[in-house]
Amino acid sequence: PGPEWAAEIARAVQATLASGRGALVVVPTVRLAARVDAALRETLGEGQHALLTADAGQQRRYQEWLAVRRGAVRAVVGTRAAMFAPVRDLGLVVVWDDGDGHHSDERAPFPHVREVLELRATRDKCAFLLGGWSCTVEAAQLVRSGWAAAVAAPREAVRRTAPLVRTVGDLDVARDEAARAARLPSIAWDVARAALRDGPVLVQVPRRGYVPRLACQRCREPARCRHCAGPLEAREATGVLACGWCGREEANWHCGECGGSRLRAQVVGARRTAEELGRAFSTVPVRTSGREQVLDTVSGAPALVVSTPGAEPVAEGGYAAALLLDGWAMLGRPDLRAGEDALRRWIAASALVRPQEAGGTVVIMAEPTLRPVQALVRWDPAGHAVRELADRAELGFPPVSRMASVSGAPDALADFLGAVELPADAEVLGPVPLPDSGPGASRRPGAPPAGEQGERVLVRVPPGSGAVLARALKQAQAARMARGGVEPVRVRVDPLDIG
């Protein structure tokens, strides 16, 4: 925990340059690139590295690219496109926070920064360094396979630098009159009130637009299909339960954990809660950081800093406390990575809070028994990733198995499936209709344009058959494109978003 990760990367780059080789650092956003850029200037001095980001402008970026190409600069930091920077005699590649969606390019051939840098590290026989406050399932698989080794602080050091994490579950909210009246429990009020005497308080509010998924009302276990373990959804027109992956209807669902038969959906309402916080603490300034205006830093004076995930500014001296609101809004996303992504966003915000011995406290509103919440309380993201990896191996999910997503218009999709020669051990899930984004709404990857209908199938193969599957899909796609005059079909192997 702590905001010093950029300085750690700068020291790794310095050591690499001292050995006579080059270094490449890729981060997800321009804000983080600026942080590493400042750390490299302080460690290496001026003119010793190049910054490759879109915000630099075309002329400046091209000048920097030429300097790297000619070998005048041997260290590079940048965002996603920098993964292809032609660094001379590459000795180190670094990727920070590989779980961030900005690392994945949604245009064919869909390169991901982590995978590209893995290939470059193997080809150039250089060091590969993956860092972050959290840990992805893919990173855990790299360690389990022996390709990478884990570098982690001793538990004593983690406990010494991490804040105290307190949880507020549904039962606590039900018993709390203040929570019923203002949708915020008394413990959060008390922590915020006490922390505002010593410094700023961070309030993390989930992004608007997350779609709740269904879960057991009794134990909160996500409702999944008995056939393929995909997420169950209530169809808008009829209310009938159906799988979001294979499309099969579920007439008599029962929870596999507790046997319950009643479902619940999670409700967001984060913006209204944030507004109530601002009114409740009217004596301190309220600052916001989000899509419209993202703050890089805030002072150490008492203030409420309301931020969306990923836009949290760094506070001078650290935050005195953090309130992580509406945990169900992130855990309830209809996506396989919902738990992993929620933990990543929570732990990134909590890492900016002062250590427990300095009074730093984090209050999270989520069910305490859930795996991501327990991982935050123990500050054990690597353990969470290992357990997620074991679950995915048992259920046949990526990255253990290989999966491909094929989407397009119903006729085009049927034509493609009829032409492709899939491996004998391939399992086809679907087709299921893709949701219509509607006018003005942001489209999910692979979704049809607004007003058009599309379908998607998932093709799953066991470990060892991924190359055969990719080759079959590539040949079928090439044959369709050669014919010409056909509707496009979107094919992606190991998609990040499978529902």
Side-chain angles (χ1 to χ4, degrees):
E4 305 303 324
W5 61 273
E8 297 288 347
I9 290 178
R11 282 191 282 272
V13 172
Q14 183 184 38
T16 305
L17 297 182
S19 73
R21 302 187 70 179
L24 170 61
V25 181
V26 184
V27 295
T29 64
V30 174
R31 290 175 61 238
L32 299 182
R35 199 171 299 174
V36 179
D37 177 47
L40 287 174
R41 281 202 308 270
E42 182 177 348
T43 304
L44 305 177
E46 292 288 344
Q48 299 301 309
H49 72 281
L51 176 64
L52 298 178
T53 63
D55 283 15
Q58 294 183 357
Q59 180 178 356
R60 173 67 183 276
R61 185 169 48 174
Y62 186 52
Q63 289 174 344
E64 298 276 29
W65 186 275
L66 288 178
V68 175
R69 181 75 176 178
R70 294 164 180 166
V73 176
R74 294 184 299 137
V76 174
V77 58
T79 48
R80 183 176 63 217
M83 61 183 165
F84 299 115
V87 180
R88 291 273 186 94
D89 195 15
L90 194 60
L92 171 69
V93 291
V94 182
V95 53
W96 173 260
D97 193 10
D98 64 312
D100 194 300
H102 291 93
H103 279 311
S104 177
D105 195 335
E106 292 303 324
R107 293 166 294 186
F110 313 112
H112 192 285
V113 169
R114 179 188 59 249
E115 296 170 357
V116 170
L117 294 188
E118 287 174 19
L119 292 172
R120 295 193 66 175
T122 302
R123 186 195 66 177
D124 295 338
K125 295 182 172 57
C126 70
F128 173 88
L129 177 61
L130 188 152
W133 283 305
S134 190
C135 180
T136 61
V137 175
E138 287 79 7
Q141 188 185 37
L142 291 178
V143 174
R144 190 185 72 167
S145 67
W147 192 86
V151 181
R155 292 301 303 171
E156 294 76 12
V158 173
R159 284 192 289 267
R160 187 170 60 251
T161 55
L164 172 66
V165 180
R166 305 178 67 177
T167 62
V168 180
D170 290 346
L171 290 178
D172 301 315
V173 172
R175 297 169 182 167
D176 194 332
E177 293 185 3
R180 291 198 298 269
R183 303 198 314 278
L184 197 68
S186 297
I187 182 176
W189 291 106
D190 296 339
V191 167
R193 190 178 298 110
L196 284 171
R197 303 191 190 105
D198 301 323
V201 173
L202 175 65
V203 182
Q204 188 190 70
V205 183
R207 294 184 188 273
R208 299 183 62 185
Y210 283 150
V211 180
R213 69 178 175 187
L214 297 172
C216 176
Q217 186 173 15
R218 184 188 301 172
C219 70
R220 308 299 189 262
E221 182 72 14
R224 292 198 171 273
C225 174
R226 288 183 290 181
H227 172 67
C228 70
L232 290 182
E233 302 170 348
R235 289 181 172 167
E236 186 175 355
T238 62
V240 175
L241 286 181
C243 178
W245 290 0
C246 67
R248 297 195 179 193
E249 294 187 357
E250 182 63 66
N252 189 25
W253 177 85
H254 285 84
C255 178
E257 294 293 325
C258 68
S261 58
R262 301 187 65 181
L263 294 165
R264 62 169 286 169
Q266 287 71 51
V267 181
V268 182
R271 177 174 294 181
R272 183 175 176 183
T273 304
E275 291 174 356
E276 290 174 356
L277 268 176
R279 290 195 299 266
F281 297 98
S282 56
T283 58
V284 296
V286 178
R287 307 194 66 184
T288 59
S289 180
R291 180 179 299 178
E292 293 80 11
Q293 181 183 13
V294 178
L295 304 176
D296 291 327
T297 59
V298 293
S299 69
L304 278 171
V305 181
V306 182
S307 171
T308 52
E312 299 90 354
V314 177
E316 181 181 348
Y319 289 99
L323 307 180
L324 310 179
L325 304 185
D326 297 337
W328 275 108
M330 286 191 283
L331 289 173
R333 289 173 51 209
D335 190 81
L336 183 64
R337 296 180 180 270
E340 175 188 297
D341 193 53
L343 176 60
R344 183 179 67 83
R345 295 178 183 277
W346 291 338
I347 212 165
S350 303
L352 304 178
V353 180
R354 300 169 187 171
Q356 180 176 345
E357 59 186 21
T361 305
V362 174
V363 178
I364 177 170
M365 293 185 62
E367 189 60 36
T369 58
L370 295 177
R371 183 183 294 173
V373 181
Q374 283 296 308
L376 176 65
V377 172
R378 297 192 307 269
W379 208 277
D380 185 23
H384 177 271
V386 170
R387 287 185 287 272
E388 283 283 305
L389 183 63
D391 286 351
R392 294 193 190 183
E394 182 180 352
L395 297 172
F397 288 161
V400 181
S401 66
R402 307 305 297 271
M403 184 176 284
S405 169
V406 185
S407 57
D411 293 341
L413 186 60
D415 177 65
F416 181 88
L417 294 176
V420 64
E421 297 181 5
L422 296 174
D425 52 3
E427 181 183 8
V428 179
L429 307 177
V432 295
L434 284 170
D436 185 359
S437 303
S442 59
R443 283 203 298 148
R444 294 178 61 179
E452 296 185 14
Q453 295 297 322
E455 292 183 343
R456 183 195 71 176
V457 298
L458 296 174
V459 184
R460 179 166 61 185
V461 295
S465 299
V468 180
L469 173 63
R471 186 161 52 248
L473 294 173
K474 179 180 178 180
Q475 291 173 351
Q477 185 76 315
R480 292 186 79 254
M481 294 175 66
R483 292 204 310 265
V486 295
E487 292 190 67
V489 171
R490 187 177 192 267
V491 181
R492 181 165 185 178
V493 178
D494 291 343
L496 294 181
D497 182 8
I498 62 175

